[in-house]
Amino acid sequence: MSGGTKLADVNLNAIPAEWSVQGTGDFNGDGRTGDVVWRNINGTTVLWEMNGGQKVLDVNLNAIPTDWSIQGLGDFNGDGKSDIVWRNVNGTTVLWEMNGGQKLLDVNLSAIPTDWRIQGIGDFNGDGHSDIVWRNTSGTTVSLGDERRHQGARRQSQRHPHQLAHSGHWRLQLVMATVTLSGATTTARRCCGR
């Protein structure tokens, strides 16, 4: 695509139905977000490093137990390459800092209560590191994870999501723009039914 214009059709061949795309990002540092993370229903996880529509490298990230799911991709360590956020059904949240298809660091972000869900990932404060937007299932709060770096440690802070007081009539629509409310930056939101 170039803007809204389709440049070419690319056949990636038939992918069996038990595989699904978990996200796209830039794992090889080429400045394009076309690399694809696939996951099989049995937990096998694979990274396709791409050059346009051509698969350059097929990296097996191993079988990850199915009680873990990929929550999103982002550049959490500021190296220009995508990292992977995993979450267990019990709330344990883990960040894989990646260098291409190689896991450099496995960072435990601690067990976040399961009534908090990741809504989006992006660099919301402009520091060059991805942040996590959390939302409580009660619908009454939208939160931004505090993604400040610890000096000398290659890990994110372990603070739980903090509340921004909002009515339950708000829901996250997209992760493309930022607004500032009471000094805290969060994603663009739109009231339901409006």
Side-chain angles (χ1 to χ4, degrees):
M1 300 292 288
S2 177
T5 305
K6 178 176 78 167
L7 299 177
D9 288 322
V10 176
N11 183 355
L12 298 177
N13 299 318
I15 309 297
E18 62 267 11
W19 288 90
S20 62
V21 172
Q22 298 295 295
T24 60
D26 181 9
F27 285 87
N28 58 12
D30 66 1
R32 295 185 268 183
T33 57
D35 302 329
V36 183
V37 177
W38 292 88
R39 190 140 195 242
N40 189 294
I41 58 174
N42 70 10
T44 301
T45 307
V46 174
L47 166 64
W48 283 7
E49 289 190 10
M50 305 291 289
N51 181 10
Q54 179 182 4
K55 179 172 57 168
V56 182
L57 191 59
D58 193 342
V59 181
N60 183 352
L61 300 177
N62 298 316
I64 310 302
T66 56
D67 57 345
W68 288 89
S69 64
I70 293 176
Q71 298 292 295
L73 310 174
D75 182 8
F76 289 90
N77 59 4
D79 67 354
K81 297 177 183 176
S82 295
D83 305 306
I84 304 172
V85 177
W86 291 88
R87 192 151 195 227
N88 190 287
V89 294
N90 69 12
T92 301
T93 307
V94 173
L95 167 66
W96 281 10
E97 289 189 2
M98 304 290 292
N99 181 17
Q102 178 186 8
K103 179 174 62 168
L104 298 177
L105 192 61
D106 197 347
V107 182
N108 184 350
L109 300 178
S110 74
I112 309 295
T114 57
D115 60 341
W116 286 93
R117 303 249 165 73
I118 293 175
Q119 298 292 297
I121 295 174
D123 181 8
F124 301 109
N125 59 6
D127 67 355
H129 298 96
S130 290
D131 305 298
I132 300 173
V133 177
W134 295 88
R135 185 167 188 204
N136 190 285
T137 56
S138 69
T140 59
T141 57
V142 176
S143 302
L144 244 183
D146 180 8
E147 306 311 324
R148 285 188 221 110
R149 309 290 291 174
H150 287 290
Q151 175 132 4
R154 298 194 42 85
R155 60 184 302 160
Q156 306 296 327
S157 69
Q158 292 189 11
R159 286 183 45 186
H160 288 294
H162 58 277
Q163 293 184 351
L164 298 176
H166 299 295
S167 72
H169 299 289
W170 293 89
R171 64 186 164 126
L172 191 66
Q173 291 291 312
L174 54 106
V175 181
M176 295 182 69
T178 59
V179 295
T180 301
L181 298 170
S182 304
T185 303
T186 188
T187 58
R189 294 166 305 173
R190 186 180 78 190
C191 185
C192 305
R194 291 188 190 173

